[in-house]
Amino acid sequence: MSDHLLECGRIVNTHGIRGEVKIQPWADSPQVLCTLPALYLDGAAVALRGARVHKGNVIAQLDGVADVEQAMALKGKVVCLHRKDLPLPEGSFFLADLLGLRVVDEQGQHLGVLADVLSPSQQKVYVVRGERELLIPAVPEFILETNVSGGYLKVRLIEGM
């Protein structure tokens, strides 16, 4: 997959008989997907003709998908977005850009790499894999610096972590 494309959801079903698809979003807000000009399936852009949020999912009408049979053929496909279609505010980043970053403590000691981001509730948790696995809440008390261009994440650990 291109570095410019980011996975943002999966088509989990059809919706109705006019070719709409139901997308399970992997974004912070399902509404984000509704604002995109196109989604990418298998690396190819498909214009988004219309989209709305319904029960936490996105119901989307994709260009060239006119009936339930065509929509059913897309079930299970991962949908992507193009970075240029979703500009981020200064200091923000895509979670995909964090995966693989070196994780260091306040003294600069290497703890491992950021292997996963969990979202068990409203709060994200970073999974750091090194000599041992660490679960670090993604809050300012623990995340001191996120330097994507420098390739590292600086964290504060507390006793028991």
Side-chain angles (χ1 to χ4, degrees):
M1 178 169 49
S2 164
D3 288 341
H4 299 293
L5 297 180
L6 295 170
E7 293 181 354
C8 62
R10 178 182 312 277
I11 297 174
V12 294
N13 214 340
T14 61
H15 184 83
I17 60 169
R18 294 199 172 114
E20 289 181 310
V21 294
K22 181 184 199 180
I23 300 171
Q24 178 185 44
W26 299 338
D28 287 343
S29 166
Q31 187 62 38
V32 168
L33 300 186
C34 298
T35 65
L36 300 171
L39 293 174
Y40 291 75
L41 298 172
D42 299 326
V46 179
L48 190 60
R49 296 180 59 210
R52 65 190 182 283
V53 176
H54 178 70
K55 296 183 180 178
N57 292 300
V58 175
I59 306 300
Q61 181 68 60
L62 302 173
D63 196 38
V65 182
D67 59 39
V68 71
E69 289 80 21
Q70 290 174 322
M72 185 57 81
L74 300 176
K75 187 175 176 179
K77 288 200 176 281
V78 171
V79 296
C80 298
L81 62 84
H82 198 288
R83 288 175 183 268
K84 71 173 173 48
D85 293 336
L86 194 62
L88 294 176
E90 184 70 31
S92 295
F93 41 80
F94 292 107
L95 291 179
D97 295 335
L98 300 181
L99 298 177
L101 289 182
R102 289 179 299 111
V103 179
V104 298
D105 65 14
E106 292 174 274
Q107 292 73 41
Q109 180 178 343
H110 180 75
L111 300 173
V113 298
L114 186 62
D116 201 0
V117 178
L118 305 176
S119 299
S121 64
Q122 293 286 12
Q123 188 56 57
K124 290 180 179 26
V125 176
Y126 292 164
V127 178
V128 178
R129 293 205 177 103
E131 285 185 24
R132 61 190 177 107
E133 184 174 271
L134 299 169
L135 299 176
I136 303 174
V139 295
E141 295 89 331
F142 297 107
I143 308 303
L144 302 177
E145 182 181 357
T146 302
N147 190 326
V148 174
S149 61
Y152 70 90
L153 185 70
K154 186 182 285 187
V155 300
R156 173 181 295 130
L157 299 180
I158 59 172
E159 194 170 328
M161 273 187 146

